Structures are given as C-alpha cells and as structure tokens.
Amino acid sequence: MPVGRPLLALMAFLVGALGFIASSHGHALQPGYLELRLIDGDLHAAVWKVPASGGRPMAIAARLPANCDPRTPGPAIWDGNAYVSRWTARCPGGLDGGEIYVEGLERTSTDVLVRFETAEGTSEARRLTPGAPSFTVPTRASRLDVVRTYFLLGVEHILRGIDHLLFVACLVLIAGTFRRMLITVTGFTIAHSITLALAALQLVRVPVPPVEATIALSVVFLAAELVRDRRRTLTWRFPIAVSASFGLLHGFGFAAALGEIGLPRTEVPTALLFFNLGVEAGQIAFVIALVGMFLLGTSLLRGSGLAAISAAARRHPLQRPAGYAVGALASFWLIERLAGFWT
C-alpha cells in the first residue's frame, strides 16, 4: 500500500526543521542570564550572559537598579556558549525595592533568567520575557515566585531540548500501544527525575560533555531500532528497560541545565520539584501532540478508521523513514559533541 506522500513530506520537513534549528542555533536557544551575587555589604558580583544571534550578541542589555554603580555591564567576551560580561556593582541599601530591567528584550522572542541574592542571604530567581522585561526586587521572598519561575523554566527546557524530544518520540513509536506507551514514558520520567535530583543537590557529580554525547548516542540507538524493526529484541519487547536506563543519563542532562541557572538557597526543594514538574508537563504536552499526529496520520494512511489504529501502530509506514531521519541528525550531534572533547 503506497505511503501518503503529503504526510511523509510533512514529517521530513518537520525533522529537517528541527535539525536546522539545532545545528544553526545550538545554544542560542538558551535564555539570557543575569546573576547578582552578594559579596559583602552592598557589593555585588554581576554576571551577564547574552545569547548569540547571527554570530553577534543579541541586542539586549541588562540594567541594574538605579542605586547601583555601575548599572550596566562592560565589554562581553564569547565563551563558546554566550557573550559574557563580569563586573562588580555597589548598590547602597541593597537591591530591595529596585527595578531590574533588560533593555531591548521586548523586541526579541527570547527570555532572561535573573538570579540575585538579598541582604538576608537568600537567593531568588525571576524570569523576564518580552511582555514583562523588568521586575521590582521584592523586600521579602515569595515561594509563589519560585514555583512559577522554575516550573516555566522546566517546561521551556524540555521543549527546547530537541535531543530529549526525539528520544521520547522514538520511545512512543517503539511502544506502539497506549498501555506500553504509558509504561515506557513513566519509566523514563522516574529515571531522569532520580538523577536530576541527585545531580542538582550535588550528591552525584558527572562531567557534562560525556553526558551530552551519550544522550545523542541514546537517540542514535533508538533510531537504529526503528530502522531494523526487529521485534524480538529487548528494546521492542521491554521498552521500559531502555527508557529507564537511558533516562538516568537524560536526568544528568537536565541537571546540567539547572546547574547553569542555580537553585535559590532557601527554596531548594521547591525549585527542584517544580523544575522537574515543568519538565514533565512539557514532556506530556509533547507526547499528547505526537500521539494526536500519529492517530491522524495512521487514520489517513490506513483509511480504516480508529478501530485499526492500535494494530497499525505496530507497523506504522512512517517508522523507517523517521528512524533514518532521526538517526542521521543524532549521529551529527554525536560526532559534534565528541569533537567538543578536544576543543
């Protein structure tokens, strides 16, 4: 039975678009980052990271509260991931009640995470967006702000993590039925939640470059399973074993991203919990969208209605083309990340 060319072309276009974004932008999809660490009294160490856009710093600029001197950063240096400025700013009276503003953010589609320390020694974080490019430093910490900030950061991280999403997409195709899909994705969730917590709390330390390379390798492995289509292998018979095993590695990847952001010292459990819940919310939304496309595509290609979807799920006509496309992209990531060991 011939494969529906329009839907297959759409699938190839989507995978190609993901690849183009991943290879062209890389870390540019990461948010901007401003950190204000209290050194002593009213003196703060400031770090300002600006994402790259077209090979140059994105046209955004941090502005500290009016009582700080200096309010703006100095020259930025490219560190391989972002343009970074470091300076010290004296803020008589502290940051409380002052406005932190990112100029030009309203003209972009990115966001900025601001992490700051108060005079009481607490560490807090806020997320600035094009629609809300500034905030007033509160005189008292709010747990609700921590919940909202880290939950949204978790959602954004998983939806921007194309390698994680492709891994989940391969798991969904291998699982096939709703029951197996639920078990498989649950195993992945539990596994990466464990290592995310262990690494974020610094109970386990793992170098980031090998983790990132192994995550790419995990996607290559699943893509190869889709192409070979050998239903008697461990992967096809017990996909939860593979999802849980590789999930431990993916958890270290999530922790690396969270480590760059940092956790508020007085709300570590809350921030960690809601970052993880945000990751899960984004993952669930992706799986629901993927399953919806899968059901629609199967119905169109098979022409036999919803009653035949469960049976068709085991041999979907897009399985092998998707495996080749994902495998090629993940292989590129793997080579790129391995080459990064020596650069």
Side-chain angles (χ1 to χ4, degrees), residues 139-157:
T139 56
R140 188 173 181 179
S142 168
R143 178 169 293 181
L144 181 60
D145 286 331
V146 174
V147 169
R148 181 172 57 248
T149 296
Y150 280 86
F151 180 82
L152 292 175
L153 285 171
V155 172
E156 289 187 357
H157 178 71

Side-chain angles (χ1 to χ4, degrees), residues 31-34 111-116 123-129 132 134-136 138 141-157 160 258 261-264 267 270-279:
Y33 178 69
L34 174 64
D111 52 21
V112 171
L113 178 72
V114 180
R115 186 166 178 256
F116 58 94
S123 179
E124 307 298 331
R126 295 293 183 273
R127 173 176 167 270
L128 300 181
T129 65
S134 67
F135 75 98
T136 300
S142 168
R143 178 169 293 181
L144 181 60
D145 286 331
V146 174
V147 169
R148 181 172 57 248
T149 296
Y150 280 86
F151 180 82
L152 292 175
L153 285 171
V155 172
E156 289 187 357
H157 178 71
R160 287 174 168 175
L258 186 57
I261 298 169
L263 293 168
E267 294 288 352
T270 301
L272 181 57
L273 172 63
F274 280 90
F275 179 83
N276 196 48
L277 290 177
V279 168

